[in-house]
Amino acid sequence: MVAEVVAGVSLLVWVYLVVGHGRFWRPPALAPVGSDPARWPSVVAILPARNEAEVLPRALAGLVGQDYRGPFRVLVVDDASTDGTGDLAARAGTARVRTDVAHSCGPPAGWSGKVAAMARGVAAAGEPDYLLFTDADIVHPPHSVTRLVQAATERELDLVSQMVRLRTESSWERLLVPAFVYFFAQLYPFPRVNGPGRTAAAAGGCMLVRRAALERAGGLAAIRGALIDDVALGRLLKRGGRTWLGVAPDVLSIRPYPRLADLSQMVARSAYTQLRHSPLLLLGTVVGLLLVYAVPPVALVAGLALGRGLLAALGGAAWLLMSVTYVPLLRLHRVPSWWAPVLPLVAVLYAGMTVDSAWRHLRGRGGAWKGRVIPSRAAAPRR
């Protein structure tokens, strides 16, 4: 009966996740707002870029093609690039939307590279009403800034953030990328982020921030060491204001992850930081992933093979709930729903990547990104 008890615990966890965990599996999208603000506020899009010549032109084309009716310009922070990123950015502006370039020589001591580049952009932006933090691989549709500003002004939000639709063209991307968003939503259920409770987060590819609110919160210096800068910024701004996080099916990331190694690098960079560099949290995470995701299919197969009907039923029910909740995120990324039952395998792969993240930190390679390594002691966001 031990196997039945373990399978029963797994099923109970899934029942809770479905009915009591903030509907994490149905993240909201930003609906069009019915009314325009009385005055269209000024916006500066800040785009940190380090050796992004391959993807930057499409991202800039989307930004300079915005139909926004208020003052708007683009500011690219060239973070010590060696591939001509800055030159590409300088030539991207149009008669309607200006593109400026600020140069950075890298992060000061105690700062993560991304946050330091963002802060350089804030310093060069002047005093706009809003700052739009976005990434070099993010392609915005023409209405993107308009909808973000409409939501921020009508709902009086200090932060409007959208999880963009990630690239799912290769087999590895289809297998692993939707699950990345799924697990993120489990950690930070979007409806809870948008409510009055303590849960806070943001998605770094698209964050519209009220500049005055950021200044009141202490500026980006308050999260200067954060590797997971978006979540840290969401927490910072929610302490004194209102924030909103959703998904954006029409805002796209074009960064390719064609190989398993590419995706593993992305996950391993910050997974152990998310666990606050704690071996106990690492052990609990791995055990939890196996209990919640690996036990159901194993229980179903073992129950059928051994003629233990209760074991098979418990495992099958948990696996079904898991698969059903995964379908909305698969559809968001335009991946066929029949990939849903593969989620247990994906979870095991992510558990391995999390262990790999811890191993990299132990070897002094934690936080490695684009040729830089952020020491572990500087990686955790200040709280």
Side-chain angles (χ1 to χ4, degrees):
M1 288 296 293
V2 173
E4 282 80 0
V5 170
V6 173
V9 170
S10 182
L11 176 58
L12 287 175
V13 171
W14 277 108
V15 170
Y16 161 74
L17 288 173
V18 170
V19 302
H21 196 55
R23 289 175 61 86
F24 78 93
W25 43 280
R26 293 300 297 264
L30 191 63
V33 177
S35 59
D36 294 339
R39 177 187 69 86
W40 288 99
S42 56
V43 181
V44 174
I46 296 176
L47 195 159
R50 175 170 167 81
N51 293 330
E52 298 283 15
E54 183 178 352
V55 294
L56 184 62
R58 285 185 62 188
L60 288 176
L63 288 172
V64 301
Q66 291 298 300
D67 61 11
Y68 186 63
R69 284 169 276 174
F72 175 67
R73 66 186 177 99
V74 179
L75 176 60
V76 176
V77 181
D78 180 10
D79 189 12
S81 299
T82 58
D83 66 346
T85 288
D87 294 334
L88 283 171
R91 298 193 299 266
T94 66
R96 188 171 179 274
V97 178
R98 194 174 91 218
T99 298
D100 298 321
V101 180
H103 295 277
S104 171
C105 297
W111 286 71
S112 70
K114 175 72 176 292
V115 178
M118 292 165 64
R120 177 71 180 92
V122 171
E127 296 185 350
D129 297 305
Y130 289 91
L131 302 164
L132 172 60
F133 295 106
T134 188
D135 289 337
D137 62 306
I138 305 302
V139 178
H140 291 262
H143 59 258
S144 186
V145 174
T146 297
R147 287 193 178 178
L148 290 166
V149 170
Q150 285 176 326
T153 55
E154 183 169 282
R155 306 178 194 178
E156 298 182 343
L157 299 168
D158 291 330
L159 167 68
V160 182
S161 181
Q162 296 185 106
M163 177 72 74
V164 307
R165 178 158 61 87
L166 305 178
R167 185 181 185 269
T168 51
E169 295 182 12
S170 72
S171 297
W172 284 114
E173 288 168 342
R174 288 190 291 273
L175 178 67
L176 295 172
V177 163
F180 178 83
V181 181
Y182 182 84
F183 295 141
F184 182 90
Q186 268 193 348
L187 284 172
Y188 309 102
F190 290 21
R192 290 186 177 177
V193 171
N194 302 340
R198 297 181 58 186
T199 304
C206 180
M207 301 186 294
L208 183 76
V209 175
R210 192 187 305 271
R211 183 184 57 82
L214 180 60
E215 290 182 353
R216 286 196 304 270
L220 292 174
I223 58 167
R224 58 182 172 270
L227 275 184
I228 312 174
D229 53 273
D230 46 9
V231 173
L233 183 58
R235 287 173 176 159
L236 179 70
L237 292 173
K238 191 171 182 180
R239 290 173 190 162
R242 298 179 61 211
T243 65
W244 186 91
L245 174 63
V247 295
D250 54 354
V251 183
L252 310 178
S253 170
I254 58 172
R255 189 178 304 283
Y257 294 98
R259 303 173 303 153
L260 176 60
D262 301 318
L263 287 156
S264 180
Q265 164 68 17
M266 176 189 71
V267 174
R269 171 177 173 255
S270 59
Y272 199 48
T273 299
Q274 182 70 53
L275 299 176
R276 301 196 292 273
H277 309 104
S278 167
L280 288 178
L281 286 177
L282 174 66
L283 177 61
T285 297
V286 172
V287 171
L289 284 171
L290 294 177
L291 171 65
V292 175
Y293 290 96
V295 164
V298 171
L300 174 61
V301 172
L304 292 175
L306 299 174
R308 294 165 67 171
L310 178 59
L311 180 61
L314 293 170
W319 197 1
L320 177 62
L321 290 177
M322 180 196 318
S323 301
V324 168
T325 60
Y326 192 34
V327 169
L329 273 302
L330 289 173
R331 289 177 175 171
L332 172 69
H333 289 88
R334 301 183 182 179
V335 175
S337 299
W338 54 260
W339 284 76
V342 187
L343 187 56
L345 171 62
V346 177
V348 171
L349 289 173
Y350 270 91
M353 293 177 196
T354 304
V355 173
D356 179 54
S357 176
W359 176 240
R360 293 185 189 209
H361 278 271
L362 288 174
R363 293 185 300 158
R365 298 296 300 173
W369 189 251
K370 291 185 177 291
R372 288 178 180 156
V373 178
I374 306 299
S376 296
R377 62 180 178 275
R382 298 178 69 185
R383 299 180 187 275

